[in-house]
Amino acid sequence: MNVQTKASRYSPDFDIEVRGDPITADRYISKEWMDGEMKNLWPKVWHLGGLIAELEEPGDIIRHNFAKESVIMVRQEDDSIKAFYNSCPHRGNRLILGESASVMRITCAYHSWTFDLDGTLAKVQDPDDFAGGTPCGKVHLSELRCETWGPFVFWCMDDDVAPLHEWMAPLPERLKGYGVENWVRVLKVSAEADFNWKIIRDNFNESYHLPTIHPELATFINDGLPDTLFEMYPSGHNSMWMKGHQATTRVDYHTSEVPAPLGEAARAWDIDPEEYNGRTGDLREAIIEAKRRLGPGRGYTNYDNMSDQQLVDYFHCTLFPNLTLTMSPEQLQVLRTEPHPTDPEKCVFQHWCLYPPVEGMKEVFTPLGMLPLEHDAVARHSVYGDGVSVGYVADQDLSIGTSQQQGLNSRGFKGCILPGQEKRIQRFHELLDDYVKGPGAQAQ
């Protein structure tokens, strides 16, 4: 059982007791467990489908393939957005084969059954050859729930799941100050990987790996346990606040010279880092002051609505079960793993990066280096291990996935042993138990 230690700092307002359900290998390698997720988990949660900005005009369509399922989101004539299963009701043929489309009507390529944008069948071959007369106006595409938050479109398969803003609580309110509604997705990359989708979810539910997998972040992000705040919400989501623009307190950077890239961040806001040698921890407050003073004049109009904490820190929000939003004042990273259609030991990893549209700014710094500040400046799909990067920090996260999957297949692995700071992993798997096995039926 996970026992919370004094070293880990959980918010007294957002903490959840855990039961101590065993976290064994079957949930990462078993086809039976995967089938349970497909039946009892994935229909019961909201899925991020795409960007509102991709649906500018009536007839604009985006497609989201998820495991064996496929969903299309369609801008309507009244400017609303509807979501449909990407399956023709005639004989099941997929209607939209590309990631996006712009059409007057939705037409099946097999027998040319044609649907209005609202999913109503409008035209068929030989309409009089059907018992009961023409099916036009009577047959409809199967519709799913579709709602929006920020710049995103979400869909859900189940009518009993709470509305999106309620389901996401309290994160819409906590993220409101960033003003992400009009941010631009510059990076959209994905990769197939040889490990179960939950391996990376576990990774994003803890910061224990930062000193070992991401050591270069230690000079810019404070991952010390007394300085990191963990929160767990009744909705099942959780978050982590990490101090940015401040080196880790795990080692003594405070009395040393200002390390890189912290020095470069200071200079970007007209601060001489040498003045902070021997007191590097004070730079965080100095940068807050400089951003307040200089930010609006540089085009960062969203700064006015942000708290001091939001101006410099990293708010890592993990939505149950498989979506992470990592917020900083100038970047929103979306990190998600989705199940492979048939193999429990494979998944699809997705990484998006969005940036505020600052007037006069032509380029932004991304996990792939400098890129134009324009929609999907880089958009690609690859296979992890083929040498194509999904972002320098994400590459490091994925680097451990295959070897962990292999180790989970060992008879020697008896179940996870977690420190207090990994309590969010424990909570995540207990929620999985409740969905897959049913409430009260703890995994054995």
Side-chain angles (χ1 to χ4, degrees):
M1 179 175 178
N2 181 317
V3 179
Q4 182 176 333
T5 69
K6 293 181 180 179
S8 305
R9 191 161 67 101
Y10 288 85
S11 166
D13 298 321
F14 298 107
D15 195 5
I16 302 289
E17 289 298 317
V18 293
R19 302 186 298 249
D21 295 12
I23 305 172
T24 51
D26 59 327
R27 66 190 58 217
Y28 300 94
I29 64 178
S30 162
K31 184 65 164 58
E32 181 181 6
W33 184 276
M34 181 184 191
D35 291 342
E37 291 175 345
M38 293 297 183
K39 179 180 178 181
N40 298 321
L41 171 66
W42 299 119
K44 305 290 185 179
V45 298
W46 283 93
H47 297 264
L48 172 57
L51 297 183
I52 298 173
E54 297 177 281
L55 300 171
E56 295 181 323
E57 303 290 339
D60 286 352
I61 297 175
I62 49 178
R63 185 206 67 195
H64 179 200
N65 287 348
F66 177 88
K68 290 185 178 181
E69 197 54 82
S70 184
V71 172
I72 56 174
M73 290 138 279
V74 186
R75 176 71 75 176
Q76 301 294 299
E77 294 288 354
D78 64 0
D79 210 35
S80 65
I81 302 171
K82 289 182 179 291
F84 305 101
Y85 288 102
N86 189 15
S87 177
C88 182
H90 174 210
R91 281 166 53 194
N93 189 50
R94 283 198 174 175
L95 297 162
I96 302 297
L97 302 183
E99 291 191 356
S100 63
S102 185
V103 299
M104 298 296 293
R105 284 177 164 177
I106 302 167
T107 302
C108 179
Y110 195 0
H111 299 93
S112 293
W113 281 37
T114 302
F115 302 83
D116 289 334
L117 300 181
D118 67 357
T120 302
L121 181 63
K123 181 181 178 182
V124 295
Q125 257 188 160
D126 302 326
D128 298 328
D129 194 35
F130 293 82
T134 177
C136 293
K138 305 172 187 175
V139 172
H140 302 267
L141 299 180
S142 294
E143 188 171 354
L144 301 88
R145 297 169 65 192
C146 183
E147 297 183 23
T148 63
W149 169 79
F152 303 118
V153 183
F154 287 78
W155 55 268
C156 180
M157 300 183 232
D158 193 290
D159 290 338
D160 294 328
V161 177
L164 177 62
H165 282 241
E166 181 181 336
W167 179 82
M168 289 183 67
L171 295 174
E173 184 65 28
R174 304 289 293 279
L175 295 170
K176 185 165 59 176
Y178 290 95
V180 299
E181 288 77 12
N182 66 339
W183 286 24
V184 179
R185 185 177 66 193
V186 172
L187 186 67
K188 180 192 177 187
V189 295
S190 60
E192 296 179 30
D194 289 332
F195 47 81
N196 183 272
W197 68 273
K198 293 183 288 295
I199 283 181
I200 293 299
R201 301 324 308 168
D202 292 345
N203 183 78
F204 291 150
N205 273 309
E206 51 95 347
S207 61
Y208 197 35
H209 70 281
L210 262 67
T212 55
I213 303 299
H214 310 304
E216 74 284 354
L217 299 182
T219 58
F220 187 71
I221 300 176
N222 187 351
D223 63 347
L225 284 182
D227 294 283
T228 300
L229 181 66
F230 304 113
E231 297 183 339
M232 298 189 297
Y233 310 118
S235 58
H237 314 313
N238 68 68
S239 67
M240 173 179 69
W241 280 103
M242 302 194 84
K243 289 181 179 178
H245 298 78
Q246 185 179 92
T248 183
T249 49
R250 291 180 180 272
V251 296
D252 183 16
Y253 281 106
H254 188 78
T255 61
S256 67
E257 293 184 357
V258 175
L262 189 54
E264 286 78 357
R267 291 188 187 93
W269 292 100
D270 298 345
I271 298 169
D272 182 0
E274 292 187 6
E275 295 181 5
Y276 289 84
N277 287 341
R279 55 188 186 98
T280 65
D282 297 339
L283 258 177
R284 180 171 173 270
E285 291 299 324
I287 292 174
I288 291 173
E289 187 281 327
K291 284 191 168 187
R292 289 273 180 234
R293 178 168 41 85
L294 301 174
R298 296 184 179 186
Y300 290 103
T301 56
N302 53 336
Y303 282 4
D304 288 341
N305 298 316
M306 291 186 191
S307 67
D308 287 354
Q309 186 181 34
Q310 289 172 332
L311 278 179
V312 289
D313 292 350
Y314 294 88
F315 190 27
H316 188 82
C317 308
T318 300
L319 283 75
F320 181 84
N322 68 322
L323 178 65
T324 292
L325 307 176
T326 296
M327 289 299 319
S328 64
E330 297 91 22
Q331 182 191 73
L332 163 56
Q333 292 195 57
V334 177
L335 304 119
R336 174 170 63 179
T337 46
E338 294 185 333
H340 185 273
T342 58
D343 190 339
E345 300 196 58
K346 295 181 182 292
C347 72
V348 177
F349 174 80
Q350 299 158 345
H351 189 192
W352 302 353
C353 289
L354 289 80
Y355 300 85
V358 175
E359 185 176 356
M361 185 173 290
K362 303 298 184 184
E363 291 185 316
V364 289
F365 184 73
T366 78
L368 294 180
M370 297 300 296
L371 290 174
L373 180 53
E374 59 187 41
H375 177 70
D376 289 356
V378 171
R380 66 189 182 212
H381 180 71
S382 60
V383 175
Y384 181 71
D386 63 3
V388 177
S389 176
V390 292
Y392 56 92
V393 175
D395 289 341
Q396 294 170 327
D397 288 317
L398 268 61
S399 71
I400 206 67
T402 301
S403 60
Q404 186 176 357
Q405 185 71 43
Q406 292 168 343
L408 286 165
N409 278 275
S410 171
R411 290 184 177 88
F413 178 73
K414 306 300 184 184
C416 296
I417 303 171
L418 306 180
Q421 63 188 284
E422 293 187 327
K423 185 179 177 184
R424 291 180 298 150
I425 294 179
Q426 183 70 40
R427 168 70 171 155
F428 166 70
H429 284 277
E430 291 178 0
L431 287 167
L432 281 177
D433 288 345
D434 291 343
Y435 274 86
V436 175
K437 300 285 188 179
Q442 299 177 25
Q444 300 298 320

